[in-house]
Amino acid sequence: CGGVFLNLSCVAILNEAVVSTQSTGTNVCNEEERASAKENVKREQKTKGSSASTKSKKSKKPSDKGDAAQPTNKTQRAKRGARQPKKPEQDEPFDVRKLSDFYPVRRSKRQPLSKLKDQETQMLREKIEGKCNEGLEIREIEGKGRGVFSTRHFTRKEFIVEYSGTLISFEEAKKREGEYALHPEKFGCYMYYFSFKNKKYCVDGTAEDGSYGRLLNHSVNGNVETKLVDVNSRPVLILIAKEDIPPDTELCYDYGERSKDIIESHPWLTS
């Protein structure tokens, strides 16, 4: 019995040793599995963190669809954050005003120089064709005979009267002048020579036709001067004011005669 008991005791001891050995091995295995599991969790967390950071970086880049990039400095953020003026809605009436609604428009009354010249030419033509003698009066002057006086004020360069007569060529004028010289007591000096378009002409005012221009007397310091104008391609000799002329003044101009023979026959040409 003692031997049997001893054997049973030995078997019990061996069984406890085996059980303890198995439990120890099991504990060691469990610790290794826990450590490996922790490492796997850490790896998974690192992998998830790296993928999340990559996605966030990609989301910050502008997309291919033309999305605007985020502002990179304070100035850009300030511009984007500035308040924009409110645009009027389409339904709201928009009152449009012009500057002329508040200030009257001042239009210049000045005319172009070409237009003024055309008007002056037209007025001059009307006076010539109408044989205008306005503002003139014929009077008898002692020692001179007849003369022309002003009855109103004439301004400088203003038209006075036309020196009318017969327009003839230079050759015809010389022929007539020779005939008039044969009878000086009958014919006076009414021949006016001039050049027009490189050709010599003469206005013969010898004949009495009732015009005033041929009756203006000579004066070296006259207040009237001659002017040649073109009317319908025809030379016309007119007399204009050399200066401002008051009313009741005799009108005279320089005949321009400097021939000694003629001056000896007409000494008043020197005055």
Side-chain angles (χ1 to χ4, degrees):
C1 293
V4 175
F5 180 79
L6 180 62
N7 290 333
L8 290 173
S9 299
C10 290
V11 171
I13 292 170
L14 288 174
N15 288 333
E16 288 179 1
V18 170
V19 171
S20 63
T21 300
Q22 288 179 351
S23 62
T24 302
T26 301
N27 292 333
V28 171
C29 290
N30 290 334
E31 289 179 359
E32 290 179 354
E33 289 178 357
R34 290 175 183 174
S36 62
K38 287 181 180 180
E39 288 181 359
N40 291 333
V41 170
K42 289 180 180 181
R43 288 176 184 175
E44 288 180 358
Q45 289 178 353
K46 288 182 179 181
T47 304
K48 289 181 180 180
S50 61
S51 62
S53 62
T54 303
K55 287 182 180 180
S56 63
K57 289 181 180 180
K58 287 183 179 180
S59 63
K60 291 180 180 180
K61 292 182 180 180
S63 63
D64 296 337
K65 294 182 180 180
D67 295 337
Q70 296 294 328
T72 56
N73 51 43
K74 294 182 179 180
T75 304
Q76 292 179 351
R77 288 195 296 272
K79 288 182 178 179
R80 292 193 62 181
R83 296 182 63 183
Q84 299 296 328
K86 183 180 178 181
K87 295 182 179 180
E89 298 180 1
Q90 294 182 357
D91 296 336
E92 294 180 359
F94 191 74
D95 189 9
V96 179
R97 295 293 183 92
K98 297 180 181 179
L99 188 62
S100 58
D101 295 338
F102 303 96
Y103 301 97
V105 179
R106 297 179 61 186
R107 302 186 183 277
S108 176
K109 295 182 179 180
R110 290 186 292 180
Q111 297 179 351
L113 184 60
S114 59
K115 188 174 182 180
L116 293 176
K117 287 184 177 180
D118 292 341
Q119 292 177 356
E120 183 180 354
T121 303
Q122 181 63 28
M123 291 176 62
L124 182 61
R125 185 176 302 171
E126 292 176 357
K127 289 182 178 181
I128 292 172
E129 293 176 352
K131 304 294 181 180
C132 180
N133 294 324
E134 182 186 356
L136 305 178
E137 184 181 37
I138 299 174
R139 299 178 187 176
E140 289 289 338
I141 305 172
E142 185 178 356
K144 284 186 178 182
R146 292 176 295 179
V148 180
F149 287 76
S150 62
T151 59
R152 67 172 180 86
H153 182 271
F154 286 93
T155 58
R156 183 174 177 268
K157 300 297 181 181
E158 184 180 353
F159 171 84
I160 294 179
V161 70
E162 177 192 0
Y163 188 91
S164 61
T166 305
L167 181 65
I168 57 178
S169 64
F170 179 79
E171 293 77 15
E172 178 64 23
K174 284 298 180 181
K175 182 180 178 181
R176 291 188 182 187
E177 189 175 358
E179 295 175 357
Y180 297 155
L182 297 176
H183 306 280
E185 73 285 351
K186 184 178 180 180
F187 301 102
C189 182
Y190 299 97
M191 309 286 286
Y192 196 99
Y193 293 88
F194 62 92
S195 296
F196 178 73
K197 294 183 178 180
N198 299 324
K199 188 176 180 180
K200 292 182 178 180
Y201 293 91
C202 177
V203 174
D204 185 3
T206 304
E208 289 280 356
D209 58 357
S211 61
Y212 285 34
R214 60 188 292 275
L215 299 179
L216 267 71
N217 289 317
H218 164 79
S219 175
V220 177
N221 300 316
N223 51 12
V224 176
E225 60 184 355
T226 59
K227 181 180 180 181
L228 190 63
V229 295
D230 185 353
V231 178
N232 298 327
S233 300
R234 174 178 170 270
V236 176
L237 190 65
I238 63 173
L239 299 170
I240 62 174
K242 189 177 179 179
E243 57 193 28
D244 290 345
I245 302 173
D248 199 25
T249 304
E250 184 183 4
L251 305 176
C252 302
Y253 70 98
D254 186 3
Y255 286 179
E257 187 59 66
R258 301 295 183 264
S259 175
K260 291 182 179 181
D261 297 336
I262 296 176
I263 290 175
E264 289 177 358
S265 302
H266 305 282
W268 49 268
L269 290 172
T270 60
S271 60

